[in-house]
Amino acid sequence: MSVSPAVSVAVCQFAPTDSREGNRERIAELVADAAARGARLIVLPEYSSYFVNPMDETLAAHAETLEGDFVQMLIALAGEYAVVIVAGLVEKSDDTHRVRNTVVAVRGDGILAVYRKQHLYDAFGQTESDWVEPGEVGEAATFDLAGLRFGLMTCYDLRFPEVARTLVDAEADVLVVPAEWVRGPLKEHHWTTLLAARAIENTVYVVSADHPAPIGVGHSQIVDPQGVVLAGVGSAEGIAVAPVERAVIDRVRETNPSLRVRRYAVVPR
């Protein structure tokens, strides 16, 4: 039986702003850099197309469709560098006041998967739901690359282990987590602990891309199925690259067959 080759993945930590053009220019630079380092999958943060802090009505004014300039730019970059790109965008919704917090995975021939954030950040004194409508609970958003399956989730979803388990039940080998993990007391600890927990309990890789300080906590990471950080970024902008491998997942699951022996299923409420 053939063994899937290692897939080099990159997490690109940068600070999106209220300049859509400036964000696209920075993304083009990051993708070129990550591709030059050998990455085949390049992950960018939540809200990569447009971001303001605090959130306000400009989100809706600058939202785009999946056919808009931002996604088309990602597709063009993916084709130019022969990579898959995952990034968050502010997507138009039918609600004129609110938007969708959306993540897309694309390659040069189009969109591979779309995920709309299910759990909104109504916590730690913030109310994302004032400006964003939640995504519907439904089929897991996944895509395949080089014999591995990648599943999409977003930021605050990380605090809900059933989201990750639903992706793993859809045979995801790698969880991809674009985020804007807002700074606050112990928030760096929560972020890194939850990334490791989702990897360990599901025996999968977790690939996360966050915003840097001062708004985000940073610490974008590539975590292996035993919770070990293979590569990461500190609190400033930067890129980290590491391989994900089928053989590593298989080896960990042979030693720790927790998925095989579990006795509970995830049921939406």
Side-chain angles (χ1 to χ4, degrees), residues 2-17:
S2 62
V3 178
S4 301
V7 178
S8 184
V9 302
V11 291
C12 298
Q13 183 167 290
F14 87 106
T17 70

Side-chain angles (χ1 to χ4, degrees), residues 91-100 133:
E91 184 192 3
K92 287 184 181 294
S93 77
D94 295 332
D95 185 334
T96 58
H97 178 67
R98 296 197 297 174
V99 300
R100 297 185 179 112
E133 65 179 31

Side-chain angles (χ1 to χ4, degrees), residues 45 143 177 186 197 213 222 264:
F143 64 92
V177 192
L186 295 177
I222 301 163
Y264 293 87

